[in-house]
Amino acid sequence: MAEAMGLRERKKLETAKRIIRTAIDLFSERGFDGVSVQEIADASDVSKMTVFNYFGTKEDLVFWPMEEHFGDAARAVRERAAGESAVDAVRRQFLEMVATRDPAVGLHTETFARQLRELVMATPVLKERAFLAAQRGTRDMAAHLAEETGDLMLAMVAAAMISAARNALIEEHYSRIDAGEPVTTVAAEAPERAERAFALVEHGLGDYGRKSP
């Protein structure tokens, strides 16, 4: 992508990345509420106005690197091939991301990405925004399925179940790695875990969780 961009666009992207990394470092050290936009600007060697020109709000500094990923599952459903089910599409996309160890599914040791997650989880206003963004992705998936099927209620149930399975898998990746398991071990087991999770959605809950007499 960088090769296709002009010099001006590349410089703008580099500046944006520098501001973001500076901001995340400061937030990680002092907390999101303990850092001002002016301090971020000073540390990034740009003006405060430049920060706001690139990012509309302070929260955008955190979410810019991850915003598009909240719609990954909805995008997989929207762009799926003829004959491919919604579950198949999201499972296929997820397994592709597992194979490449995409940071968006938690299979990595990249410091910056883990800083982002820790910051969001520790900051109520950011955590709420992440929740709402994830919900928006689920609603987008449901809206697309409803257009195809004509049944919004069932589309909402399906989208919620698919999203829940995907989110549970990502959370497991983070939890296991945070607990000290090697990324290689978690990544090696991830495809089988994903198959089981999506199979539960695909085949329905059925007798799952039936309490013994």
Side-chain angles (χ1 to χ4, degrees):
M1 182 180 71
E3 293 179 357
M5 297 171 64
L7 178 61
R8 185 167 180 272
E9 288 74 17
R10 286 201 302 273
K11 285 186 175 181
K12 288 179 65 176
L13 181 59
E14 289 168 3
T15 299
K17 287 181 176 179
R18 186 176 74 252
I19 294 170
I20 288 171
R21 288 190 176 276
T22 300
I24 299 306
D25 284 342
L26 290 172
F27 293 153
S28 296
E29 291 173 6
R30 292 155 49 190
F32 181 76
D33 295 325
V35 181
S36 70
V37 174
Q38 184 62 63
E39 289 173 311
I40 295 168
D42 292 342
S44 303
D45 197 27
V46 298
S47 69
K48 183 177 179 180
M49 183 59 68
T50 297
V51 175
F52 282 121
N53 284 341
Y54 279 88
F55 310 98
T57 67
K58 185 178 171 183
E59 290 85 354
D60 289 341
L61 286 160
V62 177
F63 284 93
W64 189 79
M66 66 177 84
E67 198 77 58
E68 65 177 300
H69 291 295
F70 289 113
D72 280 343
R75 186 162 45 254
V77 170
R78 187 171 60 250
E79 297 176 356
R80 73 193 190 283
E84 186 175 37
S85 73
V87 176
D88 284 340
V90 176
R91 173 170 45 205
R92 171 181 51 74
Q93 181 199 62
F94 189 83
L95 290 173
E96 290 171 354
M97 296 175 82
V98 165
T100 59
R101 297 202 188 174
D102 192 308
V105 297
L107 289 175
H108 61 89
T109 56
E110 185 181 297
T111 301
F112 178 70
R114 301 195 84 76
Q115 277 183 311
L116 279 176
R117 175 179 167 81
E118 290 169 7
L119 177 63
V120 169
M121 298 303 289
T123 311
V125 66
L126 300 178
K127 194 172 183 179
E128 180 180 8
R129 175 163 168 174
F131 173 78
L132 293 175
Q135 288 292 99
R136 186 167 60 250
T138 299
R139 289 197 302 272
D140 288 347
M141 186 196 306
H144 185 78
L145 290 171
E147 287 181 7
E148 295 181 351
T149 66
D151 192 322
L152 178 58
M153 184 275 290
L154 289 181
M156 290 176 65
V157 171
M161 291 178 67
I162 293 170
S163 296
R166 190 179 187 280
N167 292 337
L169 288 164
I170 295 172
E171 185 60 34
E172 180 179 65
H173 296 166
Y174 274 108
S175 297
R176 291 175 63 182
I177 294 170
D178 287 344
E181 286 193 60
V183 175
T184 52
T185 299
V186 180
E189 297 176 2
E192 188 272 338
R193 298 291 290 167
E195 292 288 359
R196 291 180 64 185
F198 286 113
L200 191 62
V201 175
E202 186 173 31
H203 301 302
L205 296 178
D207 287 335
Y208 176 80
R210 186 185 295 278
K211 190 173 182 178
S212 300

